[in-house]
Amino acid sequence: MKKNKQTQETTDIIIGDNIVANLSFTAYETGALEAKLTINDPQDFHNSEEAKNELNELISEAFEASKNKLATYELPEN
């Protein structure tokens, strides 16, 4: 049996006391990346530079996780 090693993370973007969005991602051992963005409060999210900056940071972290997985991935021998 082969195990599929992966990193999963979900982070809420909070403005004041309100969760305006969240980003979930899974980085697989091959470097493949799956991400899901949910905007819960579109008006507050789109009006907030802080929320946009936080989203940019989270996406960068997701890309970095994917890159790190790919860097350590070894192709299986047949």
Side-chain angles (χ1 to χ4, degrees):
M1 173 170 60
K2 178 158 176 30
K3 294 182 180 179
N4 186 3
K5 299 174 186 168
Q6 55 188 267
T7 299
Q8 295 179 322
E9 187 172 315
T10 299
T11 305
D12 291 332
I13 299 173
I14 301 171
I15 303 298
D17 292 333
N18 192 14
I19 299 173
V20 297
N22 63 47
L23 179 72
S24 300
F25 74 84
T26 303
Y28 296 92
E29 67 180 333
T30 60
L33 178 66
E34 180 179 292
K36 178 183 176 189
L37 171 65
T38 303
I39 298 175
N40 302 314
D41 186 335
Q43 186 171 5
D44 284 350
F45 178 83
H46 292 297
N47 289 333
S48 171
E49 284 302 313
E50 181 183 356
K52 293 175 200 171
N53 292 337
E54 180 69 19
L55 178 59
N56 285 335
E57 289 177 29
L58 293 172
I59 290 172
S60 293
E61 289 174 17
F63 288 153
E64 193 64 28
S66 172
K67 192 164 99 176
N68 290 341
K69 289 288 187 186
L70 180 59
T72 60
Y73 179 67
E74 295 181 18
L75 287 174
E77 294 181 19
N78 291 335

